[in-house]
Amino acid sequence: AQQVATQCTHFWQQRSGARQRYQSGAMPQAAAALGAQRALVFLISDFYWPAELLTRTLAACEGHDVVPLVLRDPAAFEQVPAFGWARVRDMETGQETGLMMRPALQARMHAHAKQQRALLSATFARHGTRPPLWLAPQWRPEQLSQHLLETCA
């Protein structure tokens, strides 16, 4: 674990000050540093990653007991107005933009969120991880305990 932490720290220090489009790029290298002995790995992220990066990360975790913890705020899609002006910010880049909301765009956003959830779940299943635990901002530790008990291999 110390080696992984050191490698992650080194990766971020090399890139400090330089904006990366995907700041999760160190994950495959960090996962590969886990070693051969089977370990319980909590993979915690919002998983707004390129599919190829997620695939490489999960491949590097092969042989380990991987628990994906997906951090998502349902309000980001569920509480979007059907009509009106909305300001949105990309959490990776900090870039802000405005959207003129309308019912069709709201429906597309809801459909995209649902499709993305299904795609992530299928990707995790294909790589043999435990089912993902979807955590909203108000999550409670008991949810993680229950998930671990329900998904024991």
Side-chain angles (χ1 to χ4, degrees), residues 20-153:
Q20 297 292 315
R21 179 159 180 187
Y22 300 109
Q23 296 182 354
S24 50
M27 293 306 295
Q29 297 93 324
L34 291 171
Q37 185 175 0
R38 186 170 170 83
L40 179 62
V41 177
F42 292 94
L43 195 54
I44 306 168
S45 175
D46 61 10
F47 293 100
Y48 288 117
W49 303 358
E52 177 270 333
L53 178 60
L54 181 57
T55 298
R56 284 190 301 124
T57 300
L58 294 174
C61 289
E62 190 173 304
H64 297 290
D65 184 4
V66 179
V67 182
L69 302 176
V70 184
L71 307 175
R72 295 286 169 96
D73 186 352
F77 292 102
E78 293 172 5
Q79 296 176 8
V80 175
F83 188 81
W85 187 252
R87 295 216 40 90
V88 293
R89 181 177 353 141
D90 182 316
M91 297 308 288
E92 293 282 331
T93 66
Q95 182 177 358
E96 289 190 16
T97 190
L99 292 176
M100 182 58 183
M101 294 302 298
R102 53 200 184 283
L105 180 55
Q106 181 193 43
R108 282 196 350 238
M109 290 175 79
H110 286 193
H112 176 74
K114 187 175 180 178
Q115 178 186 26
Q116 190 177 45
R117 184 178 178 123
L119 181 62
L120 268 177
S121 293
T123 300
F124 291 132
R126 191 170 51 253
H127 287 277
T129 74
R130 293 187 193 211
L133 175 58
W134 300 83
L135 297 174
Q138 66 278 7
W139 75 278
R140 296 170 27 119
E142 294 83 15
Q143 290 174 272
L144 177 57
S145 297
Q146 182 177 353
H147 184 72
L148 291 173
L149 289 171
E150 291 174 353
T151 61
C152 267

Side-chain angles (χ1 to χ4, degrees), residues 9-21 23 92-93:
T9 300
H10 179 70
F11 177 86
W12 295 121
Q13 286 172 343
Q14 286 180 328
R15 285 149 182 84
S16 65
R19 279 261 188 227
Q20 297 292 315
R21 179 159 180 187
Q23 296 182 354
E92 293 282 331
T93 66

